[in-house]
Amino acid sequence: MAANIFWELISDSKKYGAEQIEWLTNELTKKTSKEIIQFEIEFQNKMVQSYTSSLWGAAYVIMGGCSDDGFDYFRGWLISRGEEVFNQALKNPEFLAGFLTEDYLQEDEFAPQLEEMLLAASDAYTYQKTGTYEYNDSANTEFLNEMEAHGYNFEPMDIEIDWVEEDLEVRYPLLWARFGEEPLT
């Protein structure tokens, strides 16, 4: 799946607010299994692209701490916001200080974490194979095998964190001013 089609689906899904992931998953069930796999590969590529020390530091400030899983959910949310927000945040994580306004936070009940985004494609694939969205071990194994067959490499990512908690106020002054004393989680 080309990046433009991936981002088009994300953009379309944003129209559904709190039902975004439900809509996206439902749309993916209408695609071929190959297209679902391609969507997931593109999603995983965005997860890898956003796996940076700089973005993790920003997430740490915004949420008042950020575990490995929390950073995955943060990146899932960031991807769900669309191509422009994703690219701006990668280029300069301080962008999020202006993006995460009070008005925005009142409208986006998921900010800044969206675990369900990580499961949209696998849930759609499972539904196609089993007729239900419930986790199915054999469908999940088949999904992962299909991703590998389409060239996705499951190598664990390595990251060198180039900050310590005490440096975050200086490194992210805009985010710190906005969330340092009142993080979102």
Side-chain angles (χ1 to χ4, degrees), residues 28-33 36 123-131:
L28 288 171
T29 64
K30 299 172 187 175
K31 307 280 185 199
T32 66
S33 294
I36 295 171
D123 284 352
Y125 189 90
T126 297
Y127 184 82
Q128 278 192 345
K129 300 300 177 184
T130 67

Side-chain angles (χ1 to χ4, degrees), residues 4-181:
N4 63 328
I5 296 171
F6 172 85
W7 285 123
E8 188 177 299
L9 275 169
I10 297 296
S11 179
D12 290 347
S13 73
K14 287 172 36 180
K15 299 172 191 168
Y16 294 89
E19 308 301 319
Q20 177 182 10
I21 304 306
E22 184 178 325
W23 181 89
L24 180 60
T25 304
N26 187 49
E27 282 301 301
L28 288 171
T29 64
K30 299 172 187 175
K31 307 280 185 199
T32 66
S33 294
K34 182 179 178 181
E35 289 171 315
I36 295 171
I37 296 298
Q38 291 170 335
F39 178 91
E40 179 66 10
I41 289 171
E42 191 63 34
F43 176 76
Q44 289 301 324
N45 288 337
K46 301 300 177 220
M47 290 291 285
V48 169
Q49 186 181 356
S50 60
Y51 193 65
T52 67
S53 177
S54 181
L55 193 58
W56 200 332
Y60 195 98
V61 172
I62 292 167
M63 296 186 292
C66 188
S67 68
D68 292 351
D69 288 345
F71 190 45
D72 287 345
Y73 307 155
F74 175 83
R75 290 179 296 136
W77 167 81
L78 185 61
I79 294 165
S80 80
R81 299 302 79 214
E83 184 177 19
E84 183 179 332
V85 171
F86 178 79
N87 288 331
Q88 288 289 337
L90 286 186
K91 195 180 310 176
N92 178 13
E94 288 264 272
F95 159 81
L96 294 170
F99 179 75
L100 290 167
T101 64
E102 287 299 323
D103 287 343
Y104 177 84
L105 291 171
Q106 288 178 359
E107 292 176 20
D108 184 353
E109 67 182 79
F110 303 114
Q113 297 186 24
L114 188 54
E115 179 181 3
E116 294 81 5
M117 183 68 191
L118 280 62
L119 303 172
S122 63
D123 284 352
Y125 189 90
T126 297
Y127 184 82
Q128 278 192 345
K129 300 300 177 184
T130 67
T132 181
Y133 290 109
E134 294 207 17
Y135 177 82
N136 179 287
D137 194 47
S138 71
N140 187 60
T141 299
E142 186 178 324
F143 179 72
L144 297 174
N145 289 340
E146 284 289 321
M147 285 187 61
E148 261 188 301
H150 283 87
Y152 187 75
N153 182 356
F154 288 98
E155 293 286 324
M157 294 183 289
D158 221 3
I159 190 171
E160 183 177 325
I161 302 295
D162 62 356
W163 50 267
V164 293
E165 189 173 347
E166 293 76 26
D167 298 335
L168 295 176
E169 182 175 3
V170 172
R171 184 167 178 168
Y172 303 100
L174 298 175
L175 287 170
W176 192 268
R178 177 89 171 78
F179 301 107
E181 297 298 320

